[in-house]
Amino acid sequence: MTETTISFANVSATYDNKHDVLSDVSFNISGGAFYFLTGASGAGKTTLLRLIYQLHKPASGTIKLFGKDCSELSRDEISTLRQKMAIVFQEYSLISHMTVFDNIALPLRVRGFSNDKIKKLVTKTLEWVGLGKYANSYPMELSGGQQQRISVARAIIIQPSILLADEPTGNLDDENASRLMELFIQMNKMFGTTVILATHNKKLLETYKFPVIIVDNHHVAFSGVNTESTARKWKGPQPQNYFSEISKQFEDIGKA
């Protein structure tokens, strides 16, 4: 039986102790699932992602990640928990004074990887997102779409157990949006990464038939949820093998 990775029980969230952004939200998401997250602007999609990543504390209710009640964890324990997760925001969140290479390498350095392994992984990831020649550039020298791809590369390079993405394809053309979607799918299928991807893109929703989390009127509903694992029952086109080379790198690191 697949274990529950994310659990919300009667969770409400506010900002500045005013009106509820989310109210009485309860759900369980199993490890290895893939969900789209959709809803009107301002409905609370980003707040939901921030709650999962522990960047925002609930006003009430219980959030459990990997079976642990987050309200009972210390700051250091929350930090350790976050190392199993990655998040991609709309605003990219790149460090302006660091090169593209160093931005992507940062989470690996925090985890103590050797310089040799970091170089191999970052180089391969940059090639995959089509930005290999920009390794020594700085974020402000790139377009918005390029910065978004760098942000995604930094997130996926740690092979997270949970990947949260807030409109990651919003600034990309169809080709690059599809390329990133295939990467997310490969992570989900090959590593069992739980993916929650917020999007307004109807074409993505129609092309990749993953179940959908709908945020509306402060509440959350689910659409298209199968009783079997969503990680193995998606109905979109078969993913291309863009990710095969970097997956081998991850396997090598795991054995080291």
Side-chain angles (χ1 to χ4, degrees):
M1 183 176 179
T2 305
E3 294 184 359
T4 298
T5 299
I6 304 168
S7 178
F8 277 45
N10 308 115
V11 171
S12 296
T14 64
Y15 281 98
D16 300 323
N17 296 316
K18 296 181 180 178
H19 67 281
D20 283 353
V21 178
L22 296 171
S23 179
D24 196 27
V25 172
S26 297
F27 61 81
N28 294 310
I29 292 179
S30 298
F34 194 124
Y35 285 91
F36 283 124
L37 172 62
T38 190
S41 295
K45 299 187 301 298
T46 298
T47 299
L48 184 65
L49 296 178
R50 289 174 63 88
L51 285 166
I52 295 171
Y53 198 70
Q54 293 296 292
L55 292 175
H56 190 78
K57 297 296 183 184
S60 60
T62 302
I63 298 174
K64 290 184 178 180
L65 299 174
F66 309 104
K68 296 181 179 180
D69 185 341
C70 294
S71 66
E72 298 177 352
L73 301 180
S74 67
R75 183 178 298 181
D76 286 345
E77 288 171 328
I78 291 293
S79 179
T80 299
L81 201 66
R82 284 200 192 110
Q83 291 191 17
K84 297 182 177 182
M85 301 185 284
I87 189 165
V88 180
F89 285 122
Q90 289 172 299
E91 62 268 22
Y92 317 135
S93 300
L94 299 175
I95 300 173
S96 60
H97 67 270
M98 295 175 64
T99 65
V100 164
F101 184 98
D102 287 334
N103 264 280
I104 298 174
L106 183 60
L108 298 179
R109 290 190 171 124
V110 169
R111 287 162 175 77
F113 286 97
S114 69
N115 288 334
D116 182 56
K117 290 178 180 176
I118 288 173
K119 184 176 180 179
K120 289 179 180 178
L121 269 174
V122 173
T123 299
K124 190 61 65 176
T125 305
L126 274 170
E127 289 175 1
W128 195 93
V129 298
L131 295 172
K133 65 181 180 180
Y134 294 99
N136 296 319
S137 300
Y138 289 88
M140 295 307 294
E141 298 173 349
L142 306 180
S143 68
Q146 288 171 327
Q147 290 184 60
Q148 183 63 293
R149 281 187 276 166
I150 296 304
S151 180
V152 170
R154 183 180 61 186
I156 63 94
I157 201 168
I158 63 170
Q159 193 189 333
S161 296
I162 297 175
L163 176 64
L164 310 171
D166 193 350
E167 297 280 356
T169 64
N171 294 318
L172 303 180
D173 57 29
D174 286 348
E175 180 181 353
N176 281 307
S178 176
R179 193 177 179 91
L180 285 184
M181 274 301 302
E182 303 300 351
L183 174 54
F184 293 145
I185 290 167
Q186 287 287 357
M187 289 206 69
N188 173 253
K189 289 171 71 67
M190 298 175 76
F191 300 124
T193 302
T194 302
V195 179
I196 301 178
L197 192 155
T199 185
H200 285 108
N201 190 323
K202 290 183 179 179
K203 186 173 182 180
L204 287 184
L205 295 172
E206 293 170 355
T207 301
Y208 303 95
K209 303 296 184 179
F210 290 113
V212 180
I213 304 170
I214 304 164
V215 183
D216 181 49
N217 195 28
H218 313 305
H219 295 282
V220 167
F222 286 72
S223 174
V225 179
N226 297 319
T227 55
E228 297 181 53
S229 171
T230 57
R232 295 175 177 81
K233 302 299 286 187
W234 70 287
K235 300 177 182 178
Q238 289 297 315
Q240 299 180 48
N241 200 24
Y242 292 130
F243 201 44
S244 60
E245 287 298 320
I246 195 170
S247 70
K248 293 175 184 176
Q249 298 276 355
F250 279 129
E251 290 173 2
D252 290 344
I253 284 177
K255 295 173 183 176

